[in-house]
Amino acid sequence: AMRDGEEPTWALPIDLPDDGTGAFTRTWPYYGFPTMEDCLAEVEDEGVEVFFDPYISSGSLRFQTRVGNPVKYGGFELPVTVPESAVTGLHVKEDGSSQLTGVIYAGNGTDVDQLTAYAGHGPYTIPIRDAYRAAKDIKSTAQLQRIADADLAAHYSPVVQWSFGVRLDDTVTAAMVKPGRVLHMHVNGDEWIPDGLVDQRVIGLSGDLTQNVTLEVQANG
């Protein structure tokens, strides 16, 4: 997809990671016309995150490829309940609408030759709610099992997500709150959130041309 440097005008401003060994192996035939998004989606289906981290180089925008399970950066202290905290408008949302107790995947093949993989375990905090998924192009039982395991891990518990605003300055910069950053958030005296230190990982960041940004975070780990 990057054209291997054959034609400079095709090259996206993306720094590819170093080659290395890993658990993921996949071949996409050219005649299938897969897009980069299709290929990356198959990687991410196994529970791996791919993040294109923007930066400025010689006045031009480029992106470093970050791959992780999940993508994670070192921690940063961001107190919540202190005078003049950088955190504003904190909202906490818990959503269990996609919660599962198990998931079965149907892979490549038909009838008795069809590949299958199941992921499911207790203890159960909700009535049994298993799901069926199809991944008919997957020909590896091991890969199909990894996909099932990642799907269950993502949906086993309710999603608890915090969203809040942050005003950037010399103390709190954009690099400190980018996706993947782990925030050490101290809470004391909040009406709804128990007192203590909560580690949250940034999963989303949005903003405009001002110094104000909005973060979405979920529990780290």
Side-chain angles (χ1 to χ4, degrees), residues 62-127:
R62 294 194 60 83
F63 299 85
Q64 291 181 313
T65 306
R66 309 288 192 185
V67 182
N69 186 18
V71 172
K72 190 182 298 187
Y73 300 94
F76 171 68
E77 302 287 335
L78 189 64
V80 177
T81 49
V82 297
E84 299 183 4
S85 171
V87 176
T88 62
L90 174 62
H91 298 279
V92 179
K93 179 180 180 181
E94 183 172 348
D95 184 1
S97 61
S98 298
Q99 192 173 358
L100 297 176
T101 56
V103 59
I104 185 168
Y105 268 81
N108 190 259
T110 58
D111 300 327
V112 296
D113 295 324
Q114 180 171 278
L115 298 182
T116 61
Y118 176 78
H121 60 79
Y124 303 116
T125 58
I126 62 172

Side-chain angles (χ1 to χ4, degrees), residues 1 13 15 17 21 28 31 50 62 65 114 117-118 125 154 169 206 214:
D15 301 335
T21 58
W28 290 275
Y31 57 77
V50 181
R62 294 194 60 83
T65 306
Q114 180 171 278
Y118 176 78
T125 58
D169 54 26
S206 60
T214 299

Side-chain angles (χ1 to χ4, degrees), residues 169-192:
D169 54 26
D170 293 338
T171 303
V172 182
T173 66
M176 295 174 178
V177 294
K178 64 183 178 181
R181 179 70 70 186
V182 176
L183 304 178
H184 305 310
M185 304 188 69
H186 298 268
V187 180
N188 183 42
D190 186 87
E191 185 176 357
W192 302 104

